[in-house]
Amino acid sequence: MEPLGGGGWTGHAGAPAPGWTYLLPLLLCAALRSLLASPSSEVNLLDSRTVMGDLGWIAYPKNGWEEIGEVDENYAPIHTYQVCKVMEQNQNNWLLTSWISNEGASRIFIELKFTLRDCNSLPGGLGTCKETFNMYYFESDDEDGRNIKENQYIKIDTIAADESFTELDLGDRVMKLNTEVRDVGPLTKKGFYLAFQDVGACIALVSVRVYYKKCPSVIRNLARFPDTITGADSSQLLEVSGICVDHSVTDEAPKMHCSAEGEWLVPIGKCLCKAGYEEKNNTCQVCRPGFFKASPHSPSCSKCPPHSYTLDEASTSCLCEEHYFRKESDPPTMACTTPSPVSSVKKGKITKNSISLSWQEPDRPNGIILEYEIKYFEKDQEMSYTIIKSKETTITADSLKPGSAYVFQIRARTAAGYGGFSRRFEFETSPVLAASSDQSQIPIIVVSVTVGVILLAVVIGFLLSGRRCGYSKAKQDPEEEKMHFHNGHIKLPGVRTYIDPHTYEDPNQAVHEFAKEIEASCITIERVIGAGEFGEVCSGRLKLQGKRELPVAIKTLKVGYTEKQRRDFLGEASIMGQFDHPNIIHLEGVVTKNKPVMIVTEYMENGSLDTFLKKNDGQFTVIQLVGMLRGIASGMKYLSDMGYVHRDLAARNILINSNLVCKVSDFGLSRVLEDDPEAAYTTRGGKIPIRWTALEAIAFRKFTSASDVWSYGIVMWEVMSYGERPYWEMTNQDVIKAVEEGYRLPSPMDCPAALYQLMLDCWQKDRNSRPKFDEIVSMLDKLIRNPSSLKTLVNASSRVSNLLVEHSPVGSSTYRSVGEWLEAIKMGRYTEIFMENGYSSMDAVAQVTIEDLRRLGVTLVGHQKKIMNSLQEMKVQLVNGMMPL
Ligand code: AMP
């Protein structure tokens, strides 16, 4: 082979082939331009159509390939090369491009547009005519590598015409424009030459385009991915990291993959517009004044919530307007509000000259309360008022007139300013005992002297007695105790109210105000009877000097307690110690000076009522049960008169002694109800024993004596059903839903209608419609006095007919036989009798009535109940099984 000649090829070398013109009409050129527009993922390294001047290509031999100087519709030159030596033997015509830089691409593509004449259409020459040509390349770092030998070129492919391409009708001839694309790679040098070899065909090479492919710069998921040249390998995916756009932050590192075809694939991760910016059209736009975005994860800028504003762009939160506030813990989406007013104010100690008050921090104080402002004035004297400021939730208003009504209002101040004043609370100072104020000192002095003498005598007696068992505070006469233990102020009957131990700055002061200190040596612990929240509960004996020995229950505070646990533990004593009623558990005293710290109460032989009733199922007369209920109601009346709301009234918190006297207990200070296993957290965060609690207390913590009445109704139900669990195994959520929808527990078995009616009254939705405890006591008294009124029972059939849907939560089908069912409820002894009397299937058993049971010889009331209750449970779909009101 000859080397390719040096010297540039220009102009027309050789003559056009006879009978056929290669001049392409302008029409063809225009069509080509539109056809050849390259996609954005392709980057041209050479496009012969766009080169204005000399292409610098070389033809060898000179009479082989020749350039036809054409112009397009804009008169721009088109470089078209043609060769048509079809009549001559042994053709070897080379057309060599100039050096093409690969611009860093390691795989390049060559697109050829050409026409190739069909040899059949040529007159003669068929013997030498060819219909293909060859394409070669040669890599080189610079332009000096052109004068190499033909055999140093590497063949890319033999190119043949492909008829599937555009056909252009040129009058009487059909000329086919072919497009062929070939790729080459991996390339290792900076550039290359291409060469086209003709071996005797009739070709017009209309255009040569050389390009590489890239994945074009793109923004996806708020990350910018740069132009990326595809890999050398046709199946290679290049992993590319994205860069977060302005004002955005990485959520998860953004990545995409660039395919060999120049397509972005498989996006991973993303960026998010940072706080104060929101996404719009793949960019992060600033939040306008009046809008904010608190976190990158918020989707867009939001308008400032009510009573807040921002004057700045890119705000991440809004400022509260003057006098409005938001807690630090509140989310920035929360509206700013003013502090909420103080709502619950309780009177504490009242003397003839002073009134002590306590109140609870507002539910939503909207920030740290800096202080309270208490405004008060004598009733009807509003013009002349006094203001006291306090950081505590208690105050004592002094220098008041005896026997006069005063009006109090309280408001809280936070950093946002003052909240609204509470409603007016009216309290009255104690009247003076003596007829005239001048003489009023005399009886007090007399009383004081008398008390002083008594106290002295007691102290001397105590010292002389060698300090044996006894209270460390000598308190003999209850009246005297009251006088002395309320700072010397005479406390009149009727004004006694419960004082929340929380109102004492020092809880130890409260416990010693209301509970007697007992010498530990006076107590003998005998055995453990239960487990309390703070430690074991034991039974034992208390022997105080000069008194007979008493059986007592001793609650202990476990070792390793915290100061708060000690305070809460003794808090119960501070509460209990204020009560004195036969149906309230009686506090004997406390041991605080020795360890373990103890609370000593009267001993209740039968323990808690729910367990006791379950143990003695069906064993009591209705009158006995009503007697228990009467006791509980009486204790509750006393508590409500004292202004004490129990909040956890339930049979488990009633203790019963050997005389079946029931007493209310469980006065935990950490109410609500950390220690009650029945208490569940509500959506509002508090812990509430749902099944025992009135709707309004569950919904918005409206705990009142009226909500205690609701709980009392549940206790009635527990008692009359011998410790059955209210609402059985329904979930708390279902209980709330059913009760809200108006359903109520059905009557317990054999329950006097009057008692069930009373229960329903206690469960009135409107709390004001519920009976008061004194009315309940009177009603029960009436029933006890007139036992025949208890004879009318809730009709068993009406009970059942009130059940809306009959379906079994346990499912009669879950018992395969009558025997299995009776065994499961521990009534297996009756299996034979049931079978003998035709109750051999669960379907038959479902029809059993209490009369049937009696006829079968099931005479024990407890057993009758057990069987009927089990049948009831199987029949009743629990939610719908309750009574709709
Ligand atoms: P408490 O911590 O009050 O719930 O008491 C736990 C358990 O100890 C109760 O359920 C009773 O079984 C028992 N208990 C508490 N106080 C007494 C008492 N005064 N007399 C008898 N048993 C009591």
Side-chain angles (χ1 to χ4, degrees):
M1 273 204 204
E2 293 181 45
L4 289 172
W9 176 87
T10 53
H12 301 248
W20 193 46
T21 176
Y22 298 100
L23 295 182
L24 295 170
L26 293 179
L27 167 70
L28 175 60
C29 300
L32 272 173
R33 289 211 184 278
S34 62
L35 278 171
L36 299 180
S38 53
S40 64
S41 62
E42 296 172 4
V43 181
N44 287 346
L45 297 170
L46 165 76
D47 185 348
S48 62
R49 293 165 306 149
T50 60
V51 177
M52 299 299 283
D54 186 4
L55 261 179
W57 291 8
I58 298 167
Y60 180 86
K62 287 197 171 163
N63 62 350
W65 290 91
E66 60 178 343
E67 182 174 10
I68 309 291
E70 257 305 322
V71 288
D72 68 7
E73 73 275 26
N74 297 319
Y75 300 99
I78 308 169
H79 299 280
T80 299
Y81 290 87
Q82 63 182 36
V83 64
C84 196
K85 304 271 186 194
V86 289
M87 305 295 202
E88 297 155 50
Q89 300 279 347
N90 300 326
Q91 292 300 303
N92 185 18
N93 304 308
W94 285 73
L95 176 65
L96 184 61
T97 70
S98 50
W99 186 76
I100 305 166
S101 163
N102 61 32
E103 295 183 5
S106 49
R107 172 161 297 270
I108 51 115
F109 297 79
I110 306 117
E111 180 196 72
L112 305 176
K113 301 269 179 191
F114 61 95
T115 61
L116 195 76
R117 186 127 184 204
D118 182 354
C119 288
N120 287 327
S121 69
L122 289 170
L126 270 179
T128 52
C129 177
K130 301 283 185 312
E131 292 184 347
T132 62
F133 63 100
N134 301 316
M135 181 160 66
Y136 297 83
Y137 80 107
F138 173 73
E139 274 197 88
S140 127
D141 278 328
D142 49 45
E143 303 196 24
D144 298 338
R146 200 183 225 184
N147 296 325
I148 52 153
K149 293 185 175 157
E150 286 171 22
N151 64 3
Q152 286 180 280
Y153 276 81
I154 300 165
K155 185 167 175 182
I156 297 171
D157 206 355
T158 298
I159 311 292
D162 182 344
E163 293 190 355
S164 66
F165 283 83
T166 315
E167 293 191 355
L168 293 168
D169 187 349
L170 298 176
D172 58 338
R173 293 191 306 271
V174 172
M175 191 160 64
K176 292 169 185 144
L177 182 68
N178 300 285
T179 303
E180 292 292 327
V181 178
R182 299 291 182 273
D183 62 322
V184 178
L187 300 180
T188 53
K189 298 199 172 164
K190 288 183 186 160
F192 55 92
Y193 297 96
L194 290 176
F196 306 97
Q197 182 196 26
D198 165 56
V199 287
C202 194
I203 316 160
L205 189 55
V206 176
S207 79
V208 176
R209 187 166 72 92
V210 182
Y211 59 91
Y212 63 87
K213 287 189 180 174
K214 65 169 184 180
C215 292
S217 161
V218 71
I219 294 177
R220 190 77 56 87
N221 294 337
L222 289 178
R224 180 175 290 111
F225 294 86
D227 270 347
T228 304
I229 298 173
T230 57
D233 192 323
S234 57
S235 61
Q236 196 174 352
L237 284 184
L238 294 180
E239 187 185 273
V240 181
S241 294
I243 294 165
C244 290
V245 300
D246 289 352
H247 310 298
S248 72
V249 289
T250 306
D251 181 47
E252 187 191 330
K255 284 183 188 155
M256 275 214 283
H257 295 84
C258 177
S259 77
E261 286 309 306
E263 286 169 319
W264 288 109
L265 304 173
V266 204
I268 297 170
K270 61 178 185 299
C271 303
L272 298 170
C273 289
K274 66 182 185 187
Y277 290 81
E278 67 183 343
E279 181 176 351
K280 266 188 197 150
N281 305 326
N282 279 333
T283 60
C284 291
Q285 301 282 330
V286 70
C287 295
R288 288 178 289 136
F291 288 76
F292 78 106
K293 200 184 98 171
S295 119
H297 292 277
S298 321
S300 57
C301 303
S302 312
K303 214 168 171 338
C304 286
H307 300 296
S308 69
Y309 68 97
T310 164
L311 302 175
D312 298 326
E313 287 192 327
S315 293
T316 55
S317 65
C318 302
L319 301 168
C320 287
E321 290 168 5
E322 207 179 346
H323 304 307
Y324 284 84
F325 199 76
R326 186 192 288 131
K327 264 203 238 173
E328 257 174 46
S329 54
D330 282 347
T333 46
M334 196 105 152
C336 300
T337 54
T338 50
S340 346
V342 173
S343 58
S344 115
V345 177
K346 280 187 186 160
K347 62 184 170 180
K349 276 187 257 182
I350 294 190
T351 73
K352 65 183 171 46
N353 297 120
S354 70
I355 294 175
S356 297
L357 298 181
S358 65
W359 58 91
Q360 302 221 320
E361 187 175 290
D363 268 359
R364 288 192 45 78
N366 292 325
I368 297 163
I369 293 186
L370 302 173
E371 65 180 5
Y372 293 94
E373 187 177 275
I374 304 95
K375 174 181 171 184
Y376 67 92
F377 50 88
E378 198 179 343
K379 196 176 174 188
D380 303 327
Q381 304 284 318
E382 187 160 357
M383 296 307 286
S384 155
Y385 60 84
T386 307
I387 297 266
I388 306 180
K389 299 201 176 187
S390 166
K391 290 195 173 9
E392 308 296 335
T393 52
T394 57
I395 55 123
T396 300
D398 289 311
S399 309
L400 307 180
K401 289 187 196 164
S404 306
Y406 283 85
V407 175
F408 292 82
Q409 283 184 287
I410 301 174
R411 62 178 178 174
R413 184 167 73 83
T414 66
Y418 280 110
F421 264 120
S422 67
R423 69 173 177 84
R424 294 173 172 214
F425 290 86
E426 196 179 311
F427 302 111
E428 211 168 299
T429 48
S430 311
V432 187
L433 282 182
S436 107
S437 59
D438 285 341
Q439 292 159 355
S440 65
Q441 301 303 316
I442 297 166
I444 293 176
I445 292 166
V446 171
V447 171
S448 303
V449 169
T450 315
V451 169
V453 170
I454 293 168
L455 272 177
L456 193 65
V458 170
V459 170
I460 292 169
F462 176 74
L463 290 174
L464 289 178
S465 73
R467 197 181 160 82
R468 287 199 301 272
C469 284
Y471 298 122
S472 59
K473 274 183 186 167
K475 295 188 228 166
Q476 307 297 323
D477 180 329
E479 270 313 302
E480 201 179 277
E481 176 187 322
K482 275 178 203 158
M483 286 163 69
H484 283 283
F485 276 80
H486 293 276
N487 297 337
H489 297 292
I490 298 166
K491 210 163 178 351
L492 296 177
V495 293
R496 225 187 121 134
T497 48
Y498 159 74
I499 300 167
D500 185 345
H502 279 118
T503 59
Y504 283 75
E505 233 169 88
D506 175 7
N508 284 318
Q509 191 197 338
V511 77
H512 287 112
E513 184 115 348
F514 301 116
K516 303 162 199 169
E517 178 76 24
I518 296 175
E519 297 286 329
S521 57
C522 306
I523 300 165
T524 317
I525 293 180
E526 286 172 346
R527 62 193 173 89
V528 177
I529 53 170
E533 188 202 355
F534 297 98
E536 286 165 340
V537 182
C538 304
S539 64
R541 316 218 133 246
L542 173 70
K543 176 70 184 91
L544 291 172
Q545 173 71 25
K547 295 208 171 173
R548 68 185 168 84
E549 193 179 60
L550 289 176
V552 285
I554 304 142
K555 284 191 176 183
T556 57
L557 176 60
K558 60 190 164 222
V559 288
Y561 54 81
T562 63
E563 190 43 43
K564 181 179 183 303
Q565 283 171 324
R566 182 179 191 274
R567 213 171 38 235
D568 289 350
F569 176 72
L570 289 174
E572 178 167 23
S574 307
I575 297 169
M576 223 191 282
Q578 298 182 50
F579 305 140
D580 181 14
H581 188 273
N583 296 103
I584 304 291
I585 194 79
H586 175 71
L587 177 73
E588 295 295 343
V590 291
V591 177
T592 63
K593 303 214 163 113
N594 301 78
K595 283 185 184 168
V597 174
M598 295 186 245
I599 296 175
V600 183
T601 65
E602 66 180 304
Y603 181 60
M604 303 291 284
E605 294 83 353
N606 283 320
S608 59
L609 181 60
D610 65 330
T611 318
F612 175 71
L613 287 173
K614 279 181 211 154
K615 246 193 268 168
N616 296 284
D617 195 352
Q619 301 295 310
F620 300 112
T621 63
V622 169
I623 288 287
Q624 279 176 310
L625 295 175
V626 176
M628 294 175 198
L629 290 174
R630 196 266 176 210
I632 301 165
S634 176
M636 288 308 297
K637 170 187 168 339
Y638 174 81
L639 292 182
S640 73
D641 287 348
M642 289 275 288
Y644 179 82
V645 178
H646 191 288
R647 297 178 177 220
D648 197 10
L649 180 59
R652 66 183 168 280
N653 290 328
I654 304 290
L655 292 167
I656 181 161
N657 69 13
S658 52
N659 295 322
L660 301 190
V661 175
C662 287
K663 305 199 181 198
V664 181
S665 86
D666 210 69
F667 302 101
L669 189 61
S670 58
R671 327 197 69 79
V672 179
L673 306 158
E674 302 305 331
D675 55 329
D676 188 336
E678 280 292 352
Y681 284 100
T682 64
T683 46
R684 294 189 47 175
K687 232 183 153 192
I688 288 175
I690 300 292
R691 288 154 211 273
W692 283 263
T693 305
L695 278 178
E696 74 276 6
I698 296 173
F700 45 94
R701 300 205 198 151
K702 186 77 191 161
F703 285 97
T704 56
S705 290
S707 62
D708 277 352
V709 165
W710 179 295
S711 312
Y712 178 80
I714 304 288
V715 172
M716 287 183 75
W717 191 90
E718 289 183 278
V719 169
M720 297 314 292
S721 56
Y722 282 90
E724 186 73 77
R725 179 170 167 74
Y727 311 96
W728 306 278
E729 298 313 318
M730 281 169 72
T731 64
N732 281 339
Q733 279 316 311
D734 286 346
V735 170
I736 295 173
K737 187 165 172 282
V739 174
E740 264 173 357
E741 284 172 6
Y743 290 100
R744 298 292 184 266
L745 283 165
S747 163
M749 286 280 299
D750 292 340
C751 181
L755 290 180
Y756 184 56
Q757 187 53 52
L758 185 52
M759 291 178 209
L760 292 175
D761 290 346
C762 293
W763 302 328
Q764 290 279 351
K765 186 172 184 169
D766 171 15
R767 63 177 182 278
N768 297 314
S769 308
R770 295 172 206 155
K772 307 285 177 294
F773 278 115
D774 58 344
E775 292 165 340
I776 296 175
V777 173
S778 316
M779 200 176 301
L780 294 177
D781 280 344
K782 243 194 245 167
L783 293 176
I784 293 168
R785 276 199 303 272
N786 183 13
S788 61
S789 60
L790 293 166
K791 291 239 162 75
T792 314
L793 304 184
V794 175
N795 183 319
S797 61
S798 84
R799 258 180 103 231
V800 173
S801 70
N802 274 321
L803 309 175
L804 298 185
V805 176
E806 295 209 339
H807 137 99
S808 159
V810 180
S812 48
S813 59
T814 58
Y815 294 115
R816 274 163 299 168
S817 68
V818 175
E820 186 182 309
W821 163 59
L822 287 170
E823 285 297 338
I825 59 169
K826 299 203 171 59
M827 294 287 120
R829 72 192 77 174
Y830 297 119
T831 305
E832 224 167 276
I833 302 177
F834 269 69
M835 303 304 275
E836 280 167 8
N837 286 276
Y839 296 108
S840 51
S841 71
M842 290 308 291
D843 281 347
V845 160
Q847 311 304 319
V848 162
T849 65
I850 204 147
E851 285 74 32
D852 294 334
L853 288 183
R854 287 192 193 117
R855 200 165 37 75
L856 291 177
V858 183
T859 48
L860 289 173
V861 177
H863 291 179
Q864 291 170 2
K865 284 192 174 161
K866 201 153 221 178
I867 292 168
M868 292 311 286
N869 278 343
S870 171
L871 284 176
Q872 166 97 350
E873 259 189 54
M874 287 195 287
K875 280 182 191 175
V876 177
Q877 198 279 339
L878 293 175
V879 174
N880 296 317
M882 290 187 284
M883 301 281 292
L885 277 185

